[in-house]
Amino acid sequence: MQFDSIDRAILRVLQQDGKIPNTDLASRVGLSPSPCLRRVKLLEEAGIIERYVALVDAAKLGMGFTVFARVWLTGQDEETVVPFVEAIRRLPQVVECHLMAGDCDFILRVVAADLDGYRRFQIEHLGRIKGVRNIKSEIPMQRVKQSTEIPV
């Protein structure tokens, strides 16, 4: 797919407002509605636009406590990693999971109601996953920046 400055403009606007009507989007990027809609469809079909979501205020839902958990496994073989990943995918409290190169095997971003809620999650779920050797929890004191926008 050819990717030009208009496609980039479309992506910038949609990352800020995924519900913008096509006519408004077209006006903002300097196109008429039909070509604009066609470009959006092409970006979706190419997988550049993966999906549209609503960003939710976790604190207002009682899940405003964030912990970064560094996880070490007993091994990095497929028999250890695959079941761990499958178990993590089933835990809605884990909102991000990254396989790491470096000191730990995985870094997780976990949301909970509070410190006690995270501790229960760690004891009842995370610590019980087969192959978990060690967990170190990092508690952020202040969120300085959080964005879902990719610079285009």
Side-chain angles (χ1 to χ4, degrees):
M1 176 181 170
Q2 293 292 335
F3 195 72
D4 63 16
S5 62
I6 293 175
D7 294 317
R8 291 180 193 284
I10 289 170
L11 291 173
R12 279 192 296 275
V13 172
L14 287 176
Q15 286 186 99
Q16 294 172 1
D17 182 2
K19 288 183 70 174
I20 188 171
N22 182 59
T23 53
D24 295 345
L25 175 61
S27 175
R28 297 242 332 247
V29 301
L31 290 175
S32 60
S34 280
C36 183
L37 184 59
R38 188 170 29 257
R39 282 179 179 250
V40 170
K41 295 281 186 214
L42 287 172
L43 291 166
E44 292 169 348
E45 290 169 5
I48 294 169
I49 297 174
E50 293 181 14
R51 66 185 188 271
Y52 298 90
V53 300
L55 299 178
V56 176
D57 186 327
K60 290 181 180 173
L61 293 174
M63 297 295 281
F65 188 74
T66 298
V67 176
F68 293 95
R70 295 185 295 145
V71 178
W72 286 262
L73 302 179
T74 56
Q76 293 183 347
D77 53 277
E78 191 172 343
E79 293 77 28
T80 306
V81 171
V82 170
F84 175 80
V85 169
E86 289 171 355
I88 290 299
R89 286 187 173 141
R90 290 190 299 269
L91 297 172
Q93 299 92 331
V94 178
V95 295
E96 287 185 53
C97 174
H98 301 272
L99 174 65
M100 302 301 291
D103 186 39
C104 64
D105 295 312
F106 287 89
I107 290 183
L108 313 177
R109 183 165 68 96
V110 181
V111 294
D114 52 25
L115 182 57
D116 188 52
Y118 170 72
R119 183 72 182 133
R120 280 193 313 277
F121 168 77
Q122 182 181 333
I123 291 168
E124 296 170 8
H125 299 285
L126 191 55
R128 291 186 180 180
I129 299 173
K130 185 179 181 212
V132 171
R133 179 174 49 110
N134 194 15
I135 303 165
K136 293 201 177 179
S137 302
E138 308 287 344
I139 300 171
M141 296 180 61
Q142 178 183 7
R143 178 173 47 204
V144 175
K145 180 180 180 180
Q146 181 174 342
S147 177
T148 60
E149 294 180 36
I150 302 299
V152 290

